[in-house]
């Protein structure tokens, strides 16, 4: 299922311009990473897909169909959603959090719970944690539960809003690797919002860098953006001049060693 | 013997139990009036409070109602309603409904409003309808606050239901009015003690319900699982 943003803009009731004339196509089974600093309109853009936000102008299409023609509730149930900071329901056990959407769409609670336990294992959690309440889990575990919940109805499209923003860097790295593994297996169409350019490069097939007001600074693959930053804003944002991005090679005992801008060795040239 | 001792003796006197004016009958009547008034008020106040809390529209209604109703003296209202509706249970019941209304409205509104906005937004994004949001997320999360409103309303009504006896032959208030008329102070105090005991009992019961609604306490940190050692598969 592909997603197309066709000239969308959003001005909120208080006059805040969040998105300005944004167009982009996300092919089926690929990941679009929306990246930019806080307030650059990433969440607003992502929420246009499941109609949590209606654009002031332009249209969003899923498989060529204008989402405005679709029933909001049904549309949202058909799309996996990982909210910023998890958004787990605090009064429900982990297993019931994961089973939320299947139960809404009429799967029996029993079946939904059994599937939910499988999904917990899938995202790297001990199914025994299913009995707990969200507040009894660590931040990283809560994020995994949120991912499992988004996958529960086996949606074609997955929306993720800074899914790993609130966890420490080591756990974040682990979660990113696991998401990449899952995606290789599942092939969802993903819109990922992040303020972390490394995360965008690691997970995005296509990366859009936004500046304030939801204006596109550059769109491209991670390679394209690194190789040819469109302007100083992008160059600065991706840290093209940062020491760990400026790699050079030196020869040691006949082998080419790659070192970063600070002279630290980071690998061997194959 | 002291007045207090006399009052206790009055309550324990077997002759004052049983029959149409017995303590047990009066207790039940008092409880029934309280329950009826709170239920009638809740039938309107709770849906209205939920609606205001859910939509965020009409907050002023809550403030205005609470202010207006609190400014009305219940005895004055009762007298007015009595003059209008005559002797009987209708006037006191109406006055009690009015009395219960603001606490119930404020509790329902504040409860729904207090539900974690992140959780509500997430639930909406997952595809819950507005009804499902109210019933499955906002009310469960705000239940303790809603019950708090119910508790406050019940306490006010059970104490004030004494006034039902002013216009009808109902409830524990009869002992107060009868005692006052015949200067039977032990009987008066007995009535007051019974009302206080009933109020305390209801309050404790609702406090338990309220506590049960508070939701799960987080485990002690030592019980929380360590960061997952991912069982990758
Ligand atoms: N419901 C809203 N009403 C008014 N302004 C909003 C609303 N939601 C977001 N905004 C504003 O729109 C801009 C973009 O917000 P958002 O899409 O959340 O950015 P990001 O996700 O990139 O941090 C910000 O200036 C934000 O304050
Ligand atoms: Mg955001």
């Amino acid at each position: 299922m592909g997603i197309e943003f066709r000239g969308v803009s959003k001005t909120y009731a208080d006059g805040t311009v969040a998105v300005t004339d944004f167009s982009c196509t996300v092919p089926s089974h690929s990941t679009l990473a929306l990246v930019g600093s806080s307030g650059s309109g990433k969440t607003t853009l992502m929420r246009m897909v499941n109609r949590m936000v209606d654009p002031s102008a332009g249209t969003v299409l899923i498989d060529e169909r204008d989402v405005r023609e679709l029933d909001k509730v049904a549309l949202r149930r058909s799309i996996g959603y990982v909210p910023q900071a998890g958004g787990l329901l605090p009064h429900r056990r982990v297993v019931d959090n994961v089973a939320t959407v299947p139960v809404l769409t009429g799967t029996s609670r029993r079946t939904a719970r059994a599937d939910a336990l499988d999904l917990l294992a899938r995202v790297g959690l001990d199914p025994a944690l299913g009995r707990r309440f969200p507040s009894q889990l660590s931040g990283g575990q809560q994020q995994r539960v949120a991912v499992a919940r988004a996958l529960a109805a086996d949606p074609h499209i997955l929306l993720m809003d800074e899914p790993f923003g609130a966890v420490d860097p080591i756990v974040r790295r682990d979660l990113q690797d696991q998401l990449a593994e899952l995606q290789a297996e599942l092939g969802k169409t993903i819109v990922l919002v992040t303020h972390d350019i490394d995360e965008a490069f690691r997970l995005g097939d296509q990366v859009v860098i936004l500046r304030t007001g939801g204006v596109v600074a550059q769109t491209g693959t991670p390679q394209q953006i690194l190789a040819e930053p469109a302007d100083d804003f992008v160059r600065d944002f991706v840290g093209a001049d940062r020491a760990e991005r400026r790699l050079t090679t030196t020869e040691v005992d006949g082998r080419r060693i790659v070192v970063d801008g600070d002279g630290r060795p980071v690998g061997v040239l194959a | 013997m002291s007045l207090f001792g006399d009052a206790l003796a009055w309550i324990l006197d077997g002759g004052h139990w049983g029959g149409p004016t017995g303590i047990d009958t009066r207790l039940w009547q008092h409880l029934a009036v309280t329950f009826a008034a709170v239920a009638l008020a809740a039938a309107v106040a709770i849906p209205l409070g939920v609606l205001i809390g859910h939509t965020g529209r009409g907050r002023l209604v809550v403030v205005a109602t609470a202010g207006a109703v609190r400014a009305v003296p219940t005895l004055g209202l009762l007298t007015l309603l009595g003059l209008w509706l005559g002797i009987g249970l209708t006037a006191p019941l109406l006055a009690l409904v009015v009395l219960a209304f603001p606490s119930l409205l404020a509790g329902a509104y504040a409860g729904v409003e207090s539900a974690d906005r992140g959780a509500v937004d997430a639930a909406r994004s997952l595809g819950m309808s507005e009804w499902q949001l109210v019933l499955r997320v906002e009310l469960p999360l705000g239940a303790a606050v809603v019950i708090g409103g119910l508790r406050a309303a019940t306490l006010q009504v059970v104490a004030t239901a004494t006034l039902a006896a002013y216009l009808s032959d109902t409830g524990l208030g009869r002992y107060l009015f009868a005692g006052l008329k015949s200067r039977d102070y032990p009987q008066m105090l007995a009535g007051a003690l019974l009302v206080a005991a009933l109020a305390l009992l209801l309050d404790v019961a609702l406090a338990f319900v309220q506590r049960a609604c508070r939701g799960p306490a987080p485990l002690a940190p030592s019980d929380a699982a360590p960061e997952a050692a991912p069982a990758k598969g």
Side-chain angles (χ1 to χ4, degrees), chain A residues 37-44 46-47 84 161-162 193-195:
Chain A
S37 47
S38 177
S40 56
K42 309 180 293 292
T43 299
T44 301
M46 190 199 75
R47 283 158 75 91
Q84 199 162 357
D161 194 353
E162 309 205 14
V193 163
T194 176
H195 61 250

Side-chain angles (χ1 to χ4, degrees), chain A residues 191-225:
Chain A
V191 177
L192 171 82
V193 163
T194 176
H195 61 250
D196 175 359
I197 187 69
D198 294 314
E199 181 167 287
F201 282 174
R202 203 167 288 143
L203 296 171
D205 298 308
Q206 197 183 181
V207 175
V208 174
I209 298 176
L210 294 163
R211 48 171 122 224
T212 313
V215 178
V216 175
Q218 188 170 4
T219 303
T221 63
Q223 291 83 343
Q224 287 166 343
I225 292 174

Side-chain angles (χ1 to χ4, degrees), chain B residues 62-78 80 95 98-103 156:
Chain B
V62 181
V63 181
T65 319
V69 172
R70 269 170 204 151
V72 173
T74 306
L75 189 58
L77 178 66
L78 181 61
L80 253 169
V98 171
L99 182 69
F101 200 84
S103 300
Q156 284 170 298

